[in-house]
């Protein structure tokens, strides 16, 4: 996720990215956020939070979530990255 934050232009180097990535979605103030980086999110845990994230992404706000499994309901609006994809990133 750190390399993805660099690729998207939110930070210059991966060590800076650790400062903007949160471990829990509830440690982020969603109504005032300009972007969301969360290392783990469970879509089944809270449908209200999922709806808020969906609306943020629809408005063009970057929403980057680490998930174990992406529900089929959200596959059409998501772009999945896997750890092997980051070998192709050049700085």
């Amino acid at each position: 996720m750190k390399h993805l934050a660099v690729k998207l232009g939110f930070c210059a180097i991966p060590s800076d990215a650790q400062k903007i990535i949160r471990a829990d979605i509830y440690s982020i103030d969603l109504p005032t956020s300009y972007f969301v980086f969360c290392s783990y999110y469970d879509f089944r845990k809270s449908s209200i939070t999922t709806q808020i994230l969906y609306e943020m992404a629809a408005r063009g706000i970057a929403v980057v979530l680490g998930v174990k499994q992406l529900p089929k309901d959200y596959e059409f609006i998501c772009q999945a990255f896997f750890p092997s994809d980051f070998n192709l990133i050049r700085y």
Side-chain angles (χ1 to χ4, degrees), residues 1 4-5 8 10 20-23 28 35-39 62 64:
M1 187 173 289
L4 185 57
L8 293 174
F10 285 94
I20 63 173
I21 298 172
R22 301 287 179 237
I28 302 172
F35 56 85
V36 175
F37 282 91
C38 181
S39 60
V64 180

Side-chain angles (χ1 to χ4, degrees), residues 3-78:
H3 294 285
L4 185 57
V6 172
K7 183 179 178 183
L8 293 174
F10 285 94
C11 52
I13 56 177
S15 61
D16 286 343
Q18 191 61 40
K19 298 172 187 174
I20 63 173
I21 298 172
R22 301 287 179 237
D24 188 82
I25 195 72
Y26 301 108
S27 63
I28 302 172
D29 186 20
L30 294 177
T32 61
S33 294
Y34 291 107
F35 56 85
V36 175
F37 282 91
C38 181
S39 60
Y40 177 72
Y41 183 70
D42 185 6
F43 281 94
R44 289 177 255 153
K45 197 168 187 179
S46 173
S47 61
I48 294 172
T49 304
T50 301
Q51 180 66 30
I52 291 169
L53 292 170
Y54 176 78
E55 291 172 1
M56 290 174 75
R59 289 191 311 238
I61 295 173
V63 177
V64 180
L65 304 171
V67 296
K68 287 187 177 183
Q69 184 177 11
L70 183 62
K72 293 199 182 283
D73 300 344
Y74 297 100
E75 285 180 353
F76 74 99
I77 59 169
C78 295

